[in-house]
Amino acid sequence: MGVARATSTAPEDGAMGDAGEGAGAPAGTLDGAMLRRALGGFATGVTVTTALGPDGRPAGFTANSFTSVSLEPPLVLVCLGRGAASYPVFAQADGFAVNVLSADQQEVARVFATRGADKFASVAWGPRETGAPVFRGVAAWFDCRMRERIDAGDHVIVIGEVIGFGRAAAAPLLYCGGRFAALDSGVRLSVVARAGDAILTREDGRGLRLPTAAAFGPADDPASLSGLIARWCEGAGRPTPLHSFDEPDGAHRVVYAVDADALRPSGPSWRATPVAGAADAMACPLEVEAVRAALSRAVRHRS
Amino acid sequence: MGVARATSTAPEDGAMGDAGEGAGAPAGTLDGAMLRRALGGFATGVTVTTALGPDGRPAGFTANSFTSVSLEPPLVLVCLGRGAASYPVFAQADGFAVNVLSADQQEVARVFATRGADKFASVAWGPRETGAPVFRGVAAWFDCRMRERIDAGDHVIVIGEVIGFGRAAAAPLLYCGGRFAALDSGVRLSVVARAGDAILTREDGRGLRLPTAAAFGPADDPASLSGLIARWCEGAGRPTPLHSFDEPDGAHRVVYAVDADALRPSGPSWRATPVAGAADAMACPLEVEAVRAALSRAVRHRS
């Protein structure tokens, strides 16, 4: 498939080749695949933009190039490839509708990005004022009167004036790095890493902090919890859940425990802090009260 | 502040008033605040777009209206309000750079969305070929030669040809519903809810499933784990972490245990399944092997 972010980023781009910070391509020698991957670094929602054809049959395409432009008057735009199957319909339509897909509409996105699929059979829809189809279950929709079509390279920028709209509380479907994605659920993962009487922590003036990451793995991602554990703890066993609590900002923290043969904290801020027993752990300044409970529990568990 | 998604969605819009699915505003009577909220239902990354002023001083603005347009030639666009402080610079600049912010650059987004702030003092940057500043630590950047400025209502659509770009593996900052956000970390939360000899599960033909949610709370969100527990388990204590494992699709599952005075599964699919002991739990068809381990552990823990 390929969500048509103008320069359609196909899912197989998901490997996200890393051009590296500061790696720039000089003028005239741009690598198309690298450019698509870099453009995929900008996360977006996913839309299916629809219009009614001259034969009364609806047409639509998956795109993440939707952008709001102006409030007075209310204008939005979406970019459409000249080679798209639905291009002829949009080249003459008097109006169109933008369907902002919700997190559970991945399949709709796929169908409308596939040539030849029986697109409108796969979703419940009804026509809006312009005649363009609006889908059931979308996160938001905009019914638009066609204002302007602007040629721009291999695409056309379609600008419409919003004449009707609606939204639901549904979480939106996201597209980033060539993959569908969803909004963060607000879960943070931490680990109490222990070796002998030492616990790996960071002291940053606000208290002791545990190694924390937003994702659990994979182990070869140095920013994940598994990656931290692999980097710092020689011979570490599998982390086991130890404690969980809600943080003041609403995030939910799950604390794991891992036993390691050796702690090798690297970098200037992390260090192995000796914690002889529960009394010592309780005497440490801790980032939040709940981390004190986690450490205390970890120490009790060991002794 | 207000990330300038053309129709600048301010954070206080975050309450996300729900126009309701199918609620449409008829032509000519569009409510601006409602329209902004609906437009905010489309999630995006966040950029700071920069250019060099005629006096040699850099200018920049926070925007989420960045869109890739064409690959042949490589064109991108960004929308800028006519009233923006940096508008005069972009109205005559020969080039500009788009900085796609990473998840840890919320503060950069805020500073460049604030009038009068000493913007470029807040971030490490260097000029690219067009002279436009590119920031350190961005998820991606695009250095662009100005191609066209198109008037569109209260904004101007700035189209540039990409002459240099780069990207890093950094996770992007997101903006949705008037708030900054991040990509989902792929963590799923489940609970083994027990009362007497019953465990709350769902049997869907593929095996027993545990109550699962993407977010832990709040308890008044029926789709969160806390919400499920509140709805189904009278007198439930605080859930405690029990088990965790990686799912076949790469998601990480954390399983909690909760003891309840009474289980009240509602809806057609959930039910309280009697589990007399470990042997019975092991005899159940389970969605994945690791859930069997979690149930088995929960049963052992009780007896």
Side-chain angles (χ1 to χ4, degrees):
Chain A
M1 57 144 279
V3 170
R5 172 159 199 79
T7 51
S8 173
T9 24
E12 56 269 30
D13 279 351
M16 281 197 181
D18 187 352
E21 200 180 342
T29 64
L30 295 189
D31 178 299
M34 276 179 66
L35 177 59
R36 271 199 301 275
R37 279 197 290 273
L39 291 167
F42 184 74
T44 63
V46 182
T47 74
V48 171
T49 300
T50 60
L52 200 62
D55 55 359
R57 293 171 65 178
F61 63 97
T62 301
N64 59 347
S65 57
F66 172 67
T67 299
S68 60
V69 175
S70 164
L71 259 192
E72 296 282 346
L75 304 178
V76 298
L77 68 78
V78 66
C79 301
L80 174 61
R82 293 176 183 289
S86 56
Y87 177 79
V89 170
F90 286 86
Q92 57 80 49
D94 293 329
F96 62 90
V98 177
N99 292 275
V100 178
L101 301 186
S102 58
D104 58 1
Q105 292 184 309
Q106 274 196 30
E107 194 49 36
V108 177
R110 282 206 189 86
V111 166
F112 277 87
T114 306
R115 260 178 203 271
D118 188 2
K119 298 175 164 53
F120 288 89
S122 69
V123 63
W125 61 273
R128 288 286 157 181
E129 193 180 334
T130 64
V134 162
F135 302 165
R136 183 189 296 268
V138 294
W141 59 268
F142 304 92
D143 192 29
C144 305
R145 191 179 293 134
M146 185 70 76
R147 278 279 290 246
E148 204 171 345
R149 281 176 282 254
I150 298 167
D151 290 337
D154 52 27
H155 280 65
V156 61
I157 302 171
V158 175
I159 300 182
E161 178 173 351
V162 179
I163 61 169
F165 66 93
R167 72 157 297 178
L173 180 60
L174 299 184
Y175 195 67
C176 185
R179 299 174 199 244
F180 291 118
L183 286 178
D184 180 41
S185 59
V187 177
R188 284 172 204 149
L189 307 173
S190 288
V191 69
V192 179
R194 302 162 302 184
D197 286 332
I199 289 182
L200 186 62
T201 57
R202 188 160 60 97
E203 165 58 70
D204 65 355
R206 285 178 296 172
L208 284 185
R209 292 175 179 275
L210 296 175
T212 298
F216 185 79
D220 60 4
D221 174 2
S224 78
L225 199 65
S226 299
L228 292 177
I229 292 170
R231 189 145 44 105
W232 290 333
C233 302
E234 205 170 285
R238 171 143 189 107
T240 53
L242 178 72
H243 190 63
S244 79
F245 58 90
D246 294 321
E247 299 202 57
D249 68 358
H252 179 66
R253 179 104 73 106
V254 183
V255 182
Y256 297 78
V258 67
D259 277 305
D261 292 341
L263 288 179
R264 292 168 296 141
S266 58
S269 55
W270 292 106
R271 66 162 184 260
T273 303
V275 178
D280 286 2
M282 299 303 277
C284 293
L286 296 164
E287 55 175 319
V288 289
E289 188 54 38
V291 171
R292 183 191 302 270
L295 274 180
S296 175
R297 196 188 277 222
V299 170
R300 275 204 314 277
H301 178 67
R302 283 204 85 241
S303 53
Chain B
M1 57 146 277
V3 171
R5 174 159 198 81
T7 51
S8 171
T9 25
E12 55 269 28
D13 279 353
M16 282 198 180
D18 188 354
E21 200 181 343
T29 63
L30 295 189
D31 177 299
M34 276 179 65
L35 178 57
R36 270 198 303 274
R37 278 195 292 271
L39 291 167
F42 184 75
T44 62
V46 182
T47 74
V48 171
T49 300
T50 60
L52 200 62
D55 55 359
R57 294 171 64 178
F61 63 97
T62 301
N64 59 347
S65 58
F66 172 68
T67 298
S68 61
V69 176
S70 165
L71 259 191
E72 295 282 346
L75 304 177
V76 299
L77 69 77
V78 65
C79 301
L80 174 62
R82 293 176 184 289
S86 56
Y87 177 79
V89 170
F90 286 86
Q92 58 79 51
D94 293 329
F96 61 91
V98 177
N99 292 275
V100 177
L101 301 187
S102 59
D104 58 2
Q105 292 184 309
Q106 275 195 30
E107 194 49 37
V108 177
R110 283 207 188 86
V111 166
F112 277 86
T114 306
R115 259 179 203 270
D118 188 3
K119 299 175 164 51
F120 288 89
S122 70
V123 63
W125 60 274
R128 287 287 156 180
E129 193 181 332
T130 63
V134 162
F135 302 166
R136 182 190 295 270
V138 294
W141 60 267
F142 303 93
D143 192 28
C144 305
R145 192 178 292 133
M146 184 71 76
R147 279 279 291 246
E148 204 172 346
R149 281 176 282 254
I150 298 167
D151 290 336
D154 52 27
H155 280 63
V156 61
I157 302 171
V158 176
I159 300 182
E161 179 174 350
V162 180
I163 60 168
F165 66 93
R167 69 156 299 176
L173 180 61
L174 298 183
Y175 194 67
C176 185
R179 299 174 200 243
F180 291 118
L183 286 178
D184 180 41
S185 58
V187 177
R188 284 172 204 149
L189 308 173
S190 288
V191 69
V192 179
R194 303 162 301 185
D197 286 332
I199 288 183
L200 186 62
T201 58
R202 186 160 60 96
E203 166 58 69
D204 65 358
R206 285 177 296 171
L208 284 185
R209 293 178 176 274
L210 297 175
T212 297
F216 186 79
D220 60 4
D221 174 1
S224 78
L225 199 65
S226 299
L228 292 177
I229 292 170
R231 190 146 42 105
W232 290 333
C233 302
E234 203 170 286
R238 171 145 188 106
T240 53
L242 177 71
H243 191 62
S244 78
F245 57 91
D246 295 321
E247 299 201 56
D249 69 357
H252 179 66
R253 179 106 70 109
V254 184
V255 182
Y256 297 77
V258 66
D259 277 304
D261 292 341
L263 289 179
R264 291 168 296 141
S266 57
S269 56
W270 293 105
R271 63 162 185 262
T273 303
V275 178
D280 287 1
M282 299 303 276
C284 291
L286 296 165
E287 54 174 319
V288 289
E289 187 54 38
V291 170
R292 182 190 303 271
L295 274 180
S296 175
R297 195 188 279 222
V299 170
R300 276 203 315 275
H301 178 69
R302 281 204 86 240
S303 52

